[in-house]
């Protein structure tokens, strides 16, 4: 069975769960030895990343690398298109999530606690997130297609945006194309199941 080191609130753990659920893969999750960020964990996983996959003698600690490994090892159902250009576009979409959209969310984490909230940071990030979502609208369009590796992170990160809007006073502009894209993704059982499981974790973390 696949085993992973992960923490419940991990964005990239939830992103990987979507792929695992869609492929119907059984897995077990373990807490990082010594706790996330600990020296004990870094002795096992040098980068300190979560999720990290243990599969026989293989240790992988990057969610993108894990996803592509699992796609090659368990190709049914396919989560990368068959065409060369289409596969590249799916990877581009995944990279956009990881390197453009999700980092804008992460910049809000220092101001989530009530005593740390900062209207200036919220206003700045509202603009930055809105700009990224406008870019995403151009990437996803309105076409329906099978769920791919490129899609898995967006329901998770956008859940965070919705959960933080009221407590932080965010004013995010949501393009219709993005809302329609998220609705299409929510129709996949793997996405719906992961969002249902992850949302109370996110809201509990924000409140706590």
């Amino acid at each position: 069975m696949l085993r992973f080191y992960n923490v419940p609130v991990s964005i990239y753990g939830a992103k990987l769960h979507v792929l695992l659920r869609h492929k119907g893969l059984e897995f077990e999750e373990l807490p990082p030895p010594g706790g996330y960020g600990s020296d004990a964990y870094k002795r096992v996983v040098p980068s300190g990343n979560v999720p990290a996959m243990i599969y026989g003698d293989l240790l992988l600690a990057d969610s993108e690398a894990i996803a592509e490994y699992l796609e090659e090892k368990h190709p049914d159902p396919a989560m990368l298109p068959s065409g060369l250009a289409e596969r590249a576009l799916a990877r581009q979409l995944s990279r956009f999530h990881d390197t453009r959209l999700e980092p804008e969310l992460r910049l809000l984490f220092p101001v989530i606690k009530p005593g740390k909230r900062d209207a200036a940071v919220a206003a700045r990030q509202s603009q930055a997130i809105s700009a990224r979502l406008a870019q995403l609208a151009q990437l996803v369009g309105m076409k329906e297609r099978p769920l791919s590796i490129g899609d898995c992170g967006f329901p998770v990160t956008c859940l965070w945006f919705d959960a933080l809007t009221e407590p932080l006073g965010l004013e995010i502009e949501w393009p219709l194309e993005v809302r329609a894209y998220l609705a299409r993704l929510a129709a996949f059982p793997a996405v719906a199941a992961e969002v249902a499981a992850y949302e109370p974790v996110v809201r509990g973390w924000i409140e706590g």
Side-chain angles (χ1 to χ4, degrees):
M1 179 184 292
L2 292 165
R3 293 185 298 149
F4 296 90
Y5 293 121
N6 192 32
V7 293
V9 78
S10 168
I11 294 166
Y12 288 95
K15 175 186 173 182
L16 184 60
H17 287 169
V18 174
L19 179 143
L20 292 165
R21 289 179 186 274
H22 191 66
K23 287 186 173 290
L25 298 175
E26 294 186 3
F27 63 95
E28 177 187 9
E29 287 198 328
L30 309 169
Y36 177 60
S38 70
D39 290 339
Y41 183 51
K42 290 176 182 176
R43 284 194 290 271
V44 179
V45 178
S47 66
N49 288 10
V50 291
M53 182 182 75
I54 313 115
Y55 199 5
D57 295 331
L58 176 64
L59 175 67
L60 276 178
D62 178 271
S63 63
E64 197 81 357
I66 295 169
E68 296 220 11
Y69 174 85
L70 293 174
E71 171 65 11
E72 292 185 18
K73 188 167 183 65
H74 303 279
D76 186 30
M79 294 189 70
L80 280 174
S82 58
L84 179 62
E86 290 76 12
R87 288 201 304 275
L89 289 170
R91 290 184 173 109
Q92 172 184 256
L93 193 59
S94 188
R95 305 299 195 274
F96 180 86
H97 171 269
D98 292 359
T99 66
R100 299 293 186 271
L101 185 63
E102 191 274 346
E104 302 295 358
L105 165 64
R106 203 163 287 271
L107 290 174
L108 289 169
F109 286 177
V111 299
I112 288 178
K113 290 183 179 180
K116 299 284 188 178
R117 290 179 185 171
D118 187 320
V121 172
R124 182 192 71 211
Q125 286 311 109
S126 293
Q127 290 184 350
I129 292 163
S130 297
R132 294 301 188 193
L133 292 174
Q135 294 168 346
L136 178 61
Q138 296 181 61
L139 294 176
V140 298
M142 299 296 287
K143 182 180 178 182
E144 292 193 20
R145 52 179 173 73
L147 185 68
S148 83
I149 284 174
D151 300 314
C152 294
F154 294 103
V156 174
T157 292
C158 290
L159 187 162
W160 275 96
F161 292 151
D162 283 337
L164 288 172
T165 290
E166 183 176 349
L168 297 188
L170 301 179
E171 296 183 357
I172 296 173
E173 296 179 11
W174 288 90
L176 291 177
E177 296 89 342
V178 173
R179 283 300 193 192
Y181 169 62
L182 293 173
R184 293 197 301 273
L185 295 183
F188 290 101
V191 173
E194 183 57 29
V195 167
Y198 190 55
E199 183 170 10
V201 175
V202 170
R203 294 190 181 277
W205 191 84
I206 293 169
E207 293 169 4

